[in-house]
Amino acid sequence: MKTLNEGGFLRQCVDYKSLLFYKKTLVLYDMTFFFKEHYLHRGDRTQDQMEQAARSGKQNIVEGLSDGMTSLEMAIKLLNVARGSLKELQEDYEDYLRTHGLTQWDKSHPRYDKMVRYCYSHHEPEQYMKYAEQWSEEEFCNVALTLLHQADKGLLSYLSKVEATFLTEGGIKEQMSVARRNARGY
């Protein structure tokens, strides 16, 4: 991870909007908002829970990557909070399929591979929302679950990189001490 100034300790901000796992969470937020409005009953507590889990997943990525400018420790914590929120959302979609007698697709489902490929290569909300009205509940949930799996995989990969940076460069206090010593010529 690059610093802003040569020998400094402030890291460059990551352009989170360019990261595929963030883009997946943006799609998931829009899809979840649609889902709760169209498939869940008014007053169902799950509506708020799903929307907040989708929002928290997305927003904690933004906050974690922004905080990563000064604290890799905070970045790791917030990215893990994002993962937890997305896992909660995953569980809600899985519960919906199960409690409504719908199928969670696996590799043996005839449409599984096509769905995974679509989700892998499409990253913008409008690329999904144009189908939202056409998809059945089962299709909708399975697409959301695929996006959740892909976002999680991307988050885990990114967290591994942040961990490696932390192990080699240390935390903010260590970076500040090194930068101060270097500035003084020690």
Side-chain angles (χ1 to χ4, degrees), residues 8-9 70 171-182:
F9 58 88
T70 55
I172 185 70
K173 290 180 182 177
E174 291 168 284
Q175 289 290 310
M176 291 171 80
S177 294
V178 168
R180 191 173 332 121
R181 282 192 304 277
N182 290 341

Side-chain angles (χ1 to χ4, degrees), residues 75-120:
I76 290 167
K77 287 179 180 178
L78 288 167
L79 292 173
N80 262 324
V81 170
R83 277 196 76 227
S85 294
L86 295 173
K87 288 294 187 182
E88 180 183 341
L89 184 60
Q90 176 183 329
E91 198 70 19
D92 283 329
Y93 278 113
E94 289 172 352
D95 288 347
Y96 187 88
L97 287 170
R98 189 184 65 259
T99 60
H100 288 80
L102 303 170
T103 303
Q104 184 172 338
W105 300 353
D106 61 16
K107 292 179 182 184
S108 67
H109 192 279
R111 294 182 54 203
Y112 179 83
D113 288 335
K114 185 177 180 182
M115 174 188 62
V116 170
R117 280 193 308 275
Y118 186 87
C119 292
Y120 184 75

Side-chain angles (χ1 to χ4, degrees), residues 134-148:
Q134 300 166 24
W135 284 331
S136 68
E137 295 167 82
E138 183 173 294
E139 291 168 318
F140 198 101
C141 290
N142 278 289
V143 168
L145 287 169
T146 300
L147 288 166
L148 283 158

Side-chain angles (χ1 to χ4, degrees), residues 31-40 42 47 51:
M31 286 182 64
T32 300
F33 192 86
F34 178 92
F35 183 82
K36 74 166 190 109
E37 294 293 317
H38 289 81
Y39 296 115
L40 300 175
R42 293 259 182 241
Q47 277 192 324
E51 182 178 357

Side-chain angles (χ1 to χ4, degrees), residues 2 13 22 24 27 37 46 57 65 78 89 99-100 103 112 150 159 162 165 169 171 179 182-183:
K2 294 181 181 178
C13 280
Y22 170 79
K24 303 281 182 197
V27 171
E37 294 293 317
T46 308
L65 294 175
L78 288 167
L89 184 60
T99 60
H100 288 80
T103 303
Y112 179 83
Q150 290 176 356
L159 277 165
V162 175
T165 300
E169 296 178 12
N182 290 341

